[in-house]
Amino acid sequence: MTVRERTQTIEEQTLSPYAALSKNTLGRDTPEEECTLRTPYQRDRDRILHCKSFRRLKHKTQVFLSPEGDHYRTRLTHTLEVSQIARTIARALRLNEDLTEAISLGHDLGHTPFGHAGERALNDLMEGGFRHYEQSVRIVEKLEKSGAGLNLTKEVRDGILCHTKGTEAMTLEGRVVRLADRIAYINHDIDDAERAGVLHEKDIPREITSVLGGRRSERIDTLVHSLVENSLDGRIRMDPEIQEAFDKLYDFMFEYVYLNSYAKAEEKKVPNLIGALFDYLRKPENLPDDMRRIAEQDGIERAACDYIAGMTDHFALELFQDIYVPKSWNI
C-alpha cells in the first residue's frame, strides 16, 4: 500500500459520510498517473500554491487601494485567512481538509489589480462581462504553465467557480469556502477600516455586536461555532439569529466602508487607467509574446483582458506610466 492509498483509507474510515473522498474524485480533464505520496486534492493544493498567479496576489488590493502601511490586507493575506477559517470548519465537520484548502487557495487567483474597482472596469470593457471567479477558473485551466493549465480536479475547479454567488458548489467543502470567504473579508475589512480611520469597532450597531461579539476574534469565533453546530447533518448553515446579525453586519460594511467616499476616493481613477491599458494592449504588437497565443485562440480583447487581470497593482501603474507619462530627457 502506498502512502497515498493509506491516506485515502484513513479518509474513508474517519471522514464524515458527507465528505468528498479523494479516491472518488471526478478526476482531471487530462488523466495523470497517481502520485504515490499525495492524494489528488493534495496535489491540487500544491499546484496552486506554487503557481505564478498565487504569488502575484501579494501585490493586489484587497479593499484599500495602495495603502501606506505593512499591516493592511492584500489579496494574498485574505486568501490565507480564508484558508485558515475554512480548514477549521472542515476539520470540525470531518470534511476533506485538503480539498477545502485547495479551493481556498485558488478562489481569488483571477482577481484584478485594484480589487473590485479593477473588476468593475474590466466588466464594463469586455463583451459578456468579467467576473473574477470565472477568471480564476480560466487561469487554472488555460493560462498557467504557458497555456497548459494546472489540470486540477473537477471538485477544486467547481469550488473556485462557485465561491461567491449563484450556484452552490457540488461539495460541502466548496460551500464551506464560500462562507469562510465572507467571514474572513467582512471581519478583516473592519480591522483595516479601523486602521485607516474610516470607522471604529464601537460604530458597529449594538444589535449586531450583542449577537456576534464586539471584537474581530469574538465575531469569527461566534460565526464558526454557529456554522459547525448547525451543519452536522450535511447542510452548511448558521443559526438563524446569527445569520441575521451577520447579514446586518454585511449591510453595515457596505454603507460605511465599501461605499465610503473617503475610503474609495482613489478608485475613481481606476476605470481610466484600466481603459487606457486595454486600448493599448488591443494592438497585437503591444501584447507580450506569451499572450499572443491567447489572442490567436480567443481574440485580441480576451488576451488584453487576461493580461490586465493578471497584473499586480504595482505593475499596472508602472506600465501605465511607461506608456502614457512623458519621461525626463537625460543629456
Side-chain angles (χ1 to χ4, degrees):
M1 182 178 287
T2 65
V3 172
R4 170 186 54 78
E5 290 170 335
R6 187 159 62 245
T7 299
Q8 290 176 320
T9 298
I10 293 171
E11 284 182 0
E12 194 169 15
Q13 293 172 343
T14 62
L15 293 186
S16 161
Y18 305 111
L21 301 180
S22 61
K23 74 169 191 174
N24 295 332
T25 176
L26 297 176
R28 311 177 188 280
D29 286 349
T30 302
E32 298 178 5
E33 184 177 346
E34 292 277 19
C35 176
T36 58
L37 295 179
R38 297 169 297 163
T39 70
Y41 300 147
Q42 289 173 335
R43 295 178 79 185
D44 285 359
R45 174 203 59 203
D46 294 350
R47 290 176 185 189
I48 292 168
L49 187 66
H50 291 288
C51 77
K52 292 186 294 184
S53 298
F54 184 80
R55 294 196 293 275
R56 290 198 298 269
L57 295 178
K58 67 180 178 179
H59 291 306
K60 292 196 176 192
T61 289
Q62 175 59 28
V63 170
F64 293 95
L65 204 66
S66 301
E68 293 185 8
D70 294 334
H71 297 143
Y72 288 94
R73 269 73 172 189
T74 65
R75 193 60 61 177
L76 178 61
T77 55
H78 160 72
T79 294
L80 296 177
E81 292 186 37
V82 172
S83 177
Q84 179 270 318
I85 292 171
R87 287 179 57 198
T88 296
I89 297 167
R91 182 175 295 187
L93 293 174
R94 293 190 296 120
L95 299 177
N96 195 309
E97 209 171 326
D98 296 321
L99 173 57
T100 305
E101 186 176 20
I103 296 169
S104 298
L105 295 179
H107 82 281
D108 268 356
L109 292 178
H111 243 301
T112 62
F114 315 118
H116 287 287
E119 182 174 15
R120 289 191 295 269
L122 281 178
N123 185 59
D124 290 339
L125 290 167
M126 286 296 294
E127 184 179 353
F130 177 92
R131 289 158 288 275
H132 77 273
Y133 47 91
E134 294 174 349
Q135 187 69 13
S136 296
V137 175
R138 181 171 171 81
I139 284 171
V140 300
E141 289 185 343
K142 189 164 188 175
L143 299 182
E144 271 290 340
K145 296 185 68 174
S146 301
L150 302 181
N151 198 30
L152 304 181
T153 58
K154 172 71 172 177
E155 292 82 2
V156 171
R157 287 179 287 144
D158 171 78
I160 291 172
L161 181 64
C162 300
H163 82 264
T164 177
K165 297 177 181 178
T167 305
E168 283 193 318
M170 65 170 65
T171 63
L172 293 192
E173 289 81 358
R175 297 174 194 177
V176 163
V177 172
R178 176 187 281 198
L179 284 169
D181 181 35
R182 200 177 192 206
I183 291 171
Y185 75 70
I186 289 178
N187 284 287
H188 66 50
D189 290 351
I190 293 171
D191 190 36
D192 282 355
E194 186 172 20
R195 182 171 289 108
V198 173
L199 65 79
H200 299 283
E201 283 191 318
K202 64 182 180 182
D203 297 328
I204 302 173
R206 176 65 182 165
E207 63 175 327
I208 297 174
T209 58
S210 63
V211 177
L212 300 182
R215 293 185 295 113
R216 176 169 56 95
S217 59
E218 292 175 349
R219 291 189 298 272
I220 293 175
D221 188 66
T222 298
L223 292 164
V224 169
H225 272 83
S226 183
L227 260 177
V228 171
E229 291 164 4
N230 288 277
S231 303
L232 297 174
D233 61 354
R235 295 173 58 204
I236 306 300
R237 63 194 186 280
M238 298 180 193
D239 175 83
E241 182 187 15
I242 302 295
Q243 183 66 63
E244 181 181 4
F246 191 38
D247 291 340
K248 289 179 179 177
L249 181 60
Y250 177 81
D251 293 339
F252 169 82
M253 286 297 290
F254 233 92
E255 181 178 356
Y256 285 89
V257 177
Y258 302 139
L259 299 179
N260 182 283
S261 57
Y262 173 75
K264 299 298 180 178
E266 292 299 301
E267 287 190 1
K268 63 187 178 185
K269 303 174 183 177
V270 171
N272 288 336
L273 188 152
I274 295 291
L277 291 178
F278 191 74
D279 287 340
Y280 176 79
L281 292 167
R282 281 193 295 182
K283 300 175 182 177
E285 63 271 19
N286 293 334
L287 276 175
D289 291 341
D290 60 336
M291 298 307 297
R292 291 179 183 175
R293 171 186 55 83
I294 299 296
E296 292 171 358
Q297 294 175 353
D298 301 327
I300 188 70
E301 293 195 349
R302 182 73 250 179
C305 177
D306 286 341
Y307 189 43
I308 293 170
M311 294 178 183
T312 64
D313 296 15
H314 299 163
F315 183 81
L317 287 169
E318 289 174 0
L319 181 60
F320 177 86
Q321 290 174 341
D322 186 54
I323 296 168
Y324 294 108
V325 178
K327 299 175 180 61
S328 299
W329 181 260
N330 293 320
I331 300 177

